[in-house]
Amino acid sequence: MKHFSPAADNNKDHILQALLPYLSGDLSVLEIGSGSGQHALHLAQALPNLTWQPTDRGAGFPDLVDNIGAYGGDNISPPALLDLADDIWPVTRVDRIYSANVLHIVPEPLGERLLRNASKVLSERGFLMLYGPFKYGGNFTTPSNSEFDQWLKARNPESGVRDFEWVEHLASQTGLHLTADLAMPANNQLLIFGA
Ligand SMILES: C[S@@+](CC[C@H](N)C(=O)[O-])C[C@H]1O[C@@H](n2cnc3c(N)ncnc32)[C@H](O)[C@@H]1O
């Protein structure tokens, strides 16, 4: 496995269990910012009813292609390029969109594009599923998330743990409504928005 992420390995099964109620039936899934592909591989292997499209951009993309090629099964498509800066998405219709640990990495305008474009391609009764740390009422849920935010901003001032309310407001502007806000291990959340 290239570009292996210990964090992705630790949280992948918790994410699978939490998402199970939203992943029954034959469904197409678009993942944004797949990274190493560990989540794609774990969820697609566990749920053969899914057809999973991993995506990413940048220097890590070849490693994602290699990982999916080496370990992926029939229900994972070869990774596609998706840069949130471009508004060019590899699908025009999809049942589920999953993105983990991306909103706090990309600048806010790209987070806005994620929400806006997601609402355009999600099928009726589709779900957008966002995983990562969030602030509530301007407050970090834990001191470690505050430290993480400082670390992110030192790397890139445009990164940072986002406000839950900002995400929910953007989603509602695009016609997506909050269905669930699930507390996850390691001070993360899973936000589920319905189309
Ligand atoms: C912290 S990693 C998360 C990887 C994986 N989803 C996980 O949870 O382990 C952030 C991901 O966002 C991707 N990313 C950064 N900028 C992006 C952009 N403009 N468009 C799409 N993906 C981007 C990175 O390439 C990276 O894979």
Side-chain angles (χ1 to χ4, degrees):
M1 168 76 54
K2 295 182 176 174
H3 218 86
F4 177 81
S5 159
D9 205 51
N10 288 340
N11 58 32
K12 66 184 184 183
D13 205 51
H14 298 293
I15 293 171
L16 167 65
Q17 299 308 324
L19 289 183
L20 276 179
Y22 304 94
L23 295 177
S24 63
D26 290 336
L27 298 171
S28 55
V29 184
L30 175 71
E31 182 180 8
I32 299 169
S34 299
S36 62
Q38 285 163 256
H39 289 170
L41 290 164
H42 189 67
L43 274 78
Q45 279 163 7
L47 299 171
N49 56 302
L50 305 181
T51 304
W52 196 282
Q53 175 64 71
T55 74
D56 214 307
R57 44 86 76 179
F61 187 74
D63 287 348
L64 173 64
V65 172
D66 286 354
N67 288 342
I68 300 298
Y71 305 110
D74 291 343
N75 64 333
I76 308 188
S77 305
L81 283 167
L82 191 163
D83 188 331
L84 291 166
D86 290 340
D87 283 338
I88 301 166
W89 284 33
V91 299
T92 51
R93 221 51 190 162
V94 72
D95 299 313
R96 302 287 182 268
I97 296 174
Y98 171 71
S99 190
N101 298 310
V102 171
L103 275 187
H104 60 261
I105 299 291
V106 300
E108 284 190 359
L110 298 196
E112 292 180 26
R113 288 188 189 208
L114 190 162
L115 273 291
R116 199 167 55 240
N117 284 316
S119 72
K120 288 183 189 159
V121 301
L122 268 181
S123 59
E124 214 179 316
R125 292 191 294 277
F127 289 109
L128 168 65
M129 310 176 296
L130 299 173
Y131 174 86
F134 293 95
K135 285 183 283 179
Y136 290 80
N139 299 313
F140 295 99
T141 55
T142 59
S144 67
N145 276 4
S146 171
E147 287 159 23
F148 182 53
D149 182 66
Q150 287 169 22
W151 179 82
L152 286 167
K153 290 191 165 104
R155 282 170 75 234
N156 179 353
E158 291 190 286
S159 295
V161 173
R162 306 301 174 202
D163 285 303
F164 161 81
E165 293 83 0
W166 175 75
V167 182
E168 190 188 22
H169 178 66
L170 283 174
S172 69
Q173 279 186 326
T174 68
L176 300 172
H177 55 272
L178 184 72
T179 305
D181 175 359
L182 309 171
M184 301 292 289
N187 314 315
N188 288 302
Q189 306 291 134
L190 249 175
L191 306 183
I192 314 281
F193 295 95

